[in-house]
Amino acid sequence: MSSTKQIQDILWKAADKLRGSMDAAQYKEFVLGLVFLKYVSDAFAERRDKIAESLADLPESRRADFLDDRDEYTLANVFWVPENARWDYLVENAPQGVGELLDNAMDAIMRENPALTGVLPKIFNRDNVDKNRLKELVDLISDARFTGHGDRPAQDVLGETYEYFLEKFARAEGKRAGEFYTPSSVVRILVEVLEPYSGRVYDPCCGSGGMFVQSQKFIESRAGREHTHDIAVYGQEQNERTWRLAKMNLAIHHMDPVGIADRWADTFENDKHPDMRADFIMANPPFNMSDWARRESDSRWKYGVPPQSNANYAWLQHILSKLGDRGSAGVVLANGSMSSKQSGEGEIRRTMVEADVVACMIALPPNLFRTTAIPACLWFLTKDKSSQGAKALTDRRSEILFIDARNLGTMVDRTERILTDDDITKIADTYHAWRGTKSAKTKNQTYENIPGFCYSAKPDEVAENDHVLTPGRYVGATKIEEDPNAEPLADRVDRLKNELYTHFDESARLDQAVRAQLGGLV
């Protein structure tokens, strides 16, 4: 039985087999497509063995009927895998033409499982694919088994492996990876702050679906696995390959992939969820995007027409247009969005502040994103900062919470920083205490301004700062707390002076002694 780490190592070696023969985006699709195929085959085989075990007392003819009953699989959240798509069959027949076999297997699985229609890659039998390397890749993946890990379902093992691969590919692809991967600690801040226990969760630029997967993990850790279906996820993605990754990612985590638009498309040009009113929105749009489909008459521009040169305020307004009356959103944007006055952006920001839709601004530390050197921040938006009736929240109308988290995080190497569990908890708890959420009350937490870290500002203060929303302008300097048992500063200075004089005196005496000894030798 392989450990999850061993599986990941095996599969990363598999990726290296193809690295030299195709571009990074293509081999990502190759490897993750095969990982998915191996997973559904292993899960199917595991389910089949359990059915057979439960039918041990029945005649063989009766057992066959149950073994081929699709309901026995689908009711257990296992995809039906036709015989020509099962991994043992593929390995056995690979010498006869592995590329064609794999394409046919992908086709067969999509045909038998409507949720996967158009999702799996059929790219294995192309002329530019080295069939010898592909055969080696299949052999390597055969060494990985996603079932039989104690009490851990195959789904969990593959889910972790899939996420591991997305991160590894993001590192390999560098800047281009921003379209499909957001650092996990950044995603966790969004999820932990918003607490999406139930309702509609939407991401207008969903990448590989990381926001949705993290939302599921949050619910499972707080409320139990049985509640993970209390959310319905909806997303859209412009890049075809990334759209496929998102669909597979959701399927792997037993989340309904139907909520991802049925085809890849540009959110501004072709909104696939025009009637969406979400309870929670989480997004990491492309930073400072200048090449975007802009229409001045678009009804989404409630707070002002965003400039063609930068789509940051187009994303913010699109997201606000999708929020339900009591919905909340968290958005990752470049730091410039907090202070820019170019092309009318300052005026749009002023209008948003005066409309009271900005709840919280968080300045993130540097080096969180390998895909860009641009400093980033988090915007939290809502249309209702009142107590919201039975929720009994703290009324925060006409207030904005500023959090300066630039000093948090730990460098894991020379170029990358991560936010620890404690860092994420500190940020989320601060917001929850400010808002008076149920989780804050459970922890008996109350909000107070902390110099250098957080501050709740009134409209006049924001206006005095020309509606610039950079947290550093509001939180002030960190308060230095003195230890009551510490030595007073004046006494410490005197002591150090005395120590220094003593040191010089001893040095002078030593010098005289050495000179005397040398004089006696001459």
Side-chain angles (χ1 to χ4, degrees):
M1 179 178 70
S2 302
S3 68
T4 303
K5 179 64 170 64
Q6 288 170 328
I7 287 175
Q8 292 169 350
D9 289 343
I10 290 169
L11 296 180
W12 189 244
K13 290 178 183 177
D16 281 338
K17 288 284 182 181
L18 287 169
R19 189 185 300 274
S21 62
M22 61 185 67
D23 66 74
Q26 189 178 18
Y27 81 70
K28 175 171 79 262
E29 197 171 10
F30 252 73
V31 176
L32 290 174
L34 285 176
V35 169
F36 185 84
L37 181 60
K38 181 65 161 62
Y39 159 69
V40 295
S41 183
D42 277 7
F44 179 86
E46 181 181 52
R47 177 61 182 162
R48 195 175 184 86
D49 289 344
K50 287 183 178 179
I51 295 170
E53 184 180 338
S54 68
L55 302 172
D57 296 334
L58 292 180
E60 186 173 343
S61 59
R62 293 284 308 280
R63 288 204 300 270
D65 291 338
F66 283 102
L67 287 173
D68 291 329
D69 183 352
R70 297 186 187 206
D71 290 343
E72 293 289 337
Y73 299 86
T74 56
L75 290 174
N77 291 319
V78 174
F79 290 109
W80 174 264
V81 181
E83 186 174 354
N84 70 327
R86 297 170 192 171
W87 198 263
D88 290 345
Y89 175 90
L90 297 173
V91 171
E92 183 180 344
N93 293 278
Q96 300 172 21
V98 64
E100 184 177 3
L101 280 171
L102 290 170
D103 278 353
N104 290 341
M106 296 293 184
D107 221 0
I109 290 175
M110 288 189 287
R111 195 165 50 245
E112 299 292 342
N113 299 276
L116 299 177
T117 300
V119 171
L120 304 185
K122 294 170 55 181
I123 55 176
F124 301 94
N125 200 35
R126 295 178 178 176
D127 292 339
N128 67 333
V129 177
D130 185 326
K131 299 304 187 293
N132 290 327
R133 288 190 177 186
L134 182 56
K135 173 63 169 60
E136 292 176 13
L137 175 57
V138 170
D139 290 340
L140 271 172
I141 291 178
S142 294
D143 293 334
R145 187 161 183 82
F146 298 116
T147 58
H149 291 256
D151 295 331
R152 303 191 66 215
Q155 156 195 1
D156 289 356
V157 178
L158 179 69
E160 289 179 12
T161 302
Y162 198 92
E163 292 163 31
Y164 166 86
F165 260 64
L166 288 172
E167 181 178 1
K168 294 284 278 186
F169 282 122
R171 291 170 182 265
E173 292 189 38
K175 186 175 181 179
R176 287 187 301 170
E179 72 182 26
F180 70 86
Y181 184 76
T182 304
S184 59
S185 60
V186 176
V187 178
R188 282 189 58 202
I189 292 177
L190 295 176
V191 173
E192 295 283 341
V193 166
L194 293 178
E195 298 184 305
Y197 280 105
S198 62
R200 291 183 169 193
V201 178
Y202 171 64
D203 184 345
C205 42
C206 67
S208 56
M211 304 288 184
F212 304 134
V213 172
Q214 190 59 50
S215 296
Q216 183 195 59
K217 288 183 177 180
F218 170 82
I219 296 171
E220 184 174 342
S221 67
R222 303 297 178 86
R225 177 166 291 195
E226 65 274 16
H227 289 282
T228 54
H229 295 293
D230 290 351
I231 58 171
V233 301
Y234 300 87
Q236 182 164 341
E237 171 54 43
Q238 181 176 2
N239 182 279
E240 177 184 357
R241 284 176 171 169
T242 307
W243 173 83
R244 296 181 193 277
L245 296 182
K247 286 273 193 177
M248 284 192 285
N249 202 6
L250 263 61
I252 284 169
H253 288 89
H254 285 188
M255 303 178 77
D256 189 351
V258 174
I260 303 293
D262 59 358
R263 188 175 175 81
W264 54 97
D266 182 334
T267 300
F268 293 125
E269 187 174 18
N270 183 11
D271 182 4
K272 290 288 189 178
H273 301 284
D275 301 320
M276 170 60 61
R277 292 297 177 268
D279 299 289
F280 303 97
I281 301 178
M282 289 170 272
N284 176 22
F287 288 1
N288 304 324
M289 186 170 70
S290 59
D291 184 18
W292 63 285
R294 175 180 178 267
R295 294 189 301 271
E296 288 195 14
S297 60
D298 197 310
S299 62
R300 288 173 285 189
W301 314 148
K302 182 177 178 181
Y303 304 96
V305 179
Q308 181 68 68
S309 59
N310 196 316
N312 287 342
Y313 280 88
W315 286 112
L316 289 172
Q317 293 189 82
H318 169 80
I319 287 165
L320 281 166
S321 76
K322 298 298 182 183
L323 272 183
D325 290 340
R326 288 186 169 177
S328 298
V331 190
V332 188
L333 283 178
N335 269 5
S337 64
M338 298 188 290
S339 58
S340 172
K341 298 178 182 178
Q342 296 178 351
S343 305
E345 290 183 328
E347 190 63 20
I348 298 173
R349 185 171 57 251
R350 179 189 66 78
T351 306
M352 289 174 59
V353 170
E354 291 178 350
D356 207 19
V357 295
V358 181
C360 176
M361 300 296 302
I362 300 177
L364 294 174
N367 303 112
L368 289 177
F369 295 80
R370 277 185 174 268
T371 57
T372 179
I374 300 174
C377 63
L378 301 180
W379 290 66
F380 287 91
L381 310 173
T382 185
K383 294 180 179 178
D384 185 358
K385 288 192 269 185
S386 72
S387 60
Q388 297 191 12
K391 288 187 177 180
L393 301 172
T394 302
D395 192 329
R396 290 295 182 180
R397 282 176 286 188
S398 296
E399 289 186 63
I400 299 176
L401 174 64
F402 291 94
I403 297 177
D404 191 344
R406 289 176 297 173
N407 293 324
L408 300 184
T410 301
M411 296 297 292
V412 293
D413 58 35
R414 290 177 58 251
T415 60
E416 183 178 11
R417 182 190 302 267
I418 63 168
L419 292 166
T420 65
D421 290 348
D422 288 343
D423 294 332
I424 294 168
T425 298
K426 180 178 182 179
I427 293 170
D429 282 356
T430 300
Y431 178 83
H432 297 155
W434 178 79
R435 197 66 180 96
T437 64
K438 180 179 178 181
S439 56
K441 291 169 183 173
T442 300
K443 294 181 178 181
N444 293 318
Q445 294 172 332
T446 56
Y447 176 78
E448 62 178 19
N449 294 328
I450 300 175
F453 180 67
C454 63
Y455 183 81
S456 185
K458 297 289 187 180
D460 56 342
E461 297 173 277
V462 178
E464 287 173 7
N465 281 281
D466 204 13
H467 297 93
V468 169
L469 300 181
T470 306
R473 290 204 177 196
Y474 300 90
V475 301
T478 303
K479 181 180 179 181
I480 301 175
E481 295 185 3
E482 294 185 7
D483 183 349
N485 299 317
E487 182 180 21
L489 181 60
D491 293 351
R492 187 181 182 194
V493 170
D494 290 341
R495 178 175 55 79
L496 290 174
K497 282 182 179 179
N498 291 331
E499 290 177 358
L500 190 60
Y501 293 149
T502 301
H503 172 73
F504 280 133
D505 289 344
E506 290 177 352
S507 296
R509 286 196 296 272
L510 179 62
D511 182 62
Q512 290 175 355
V514 170
R515 287 177 181 275
Q517 289 292 330
L518 290 174
L521 294 173
V522 174

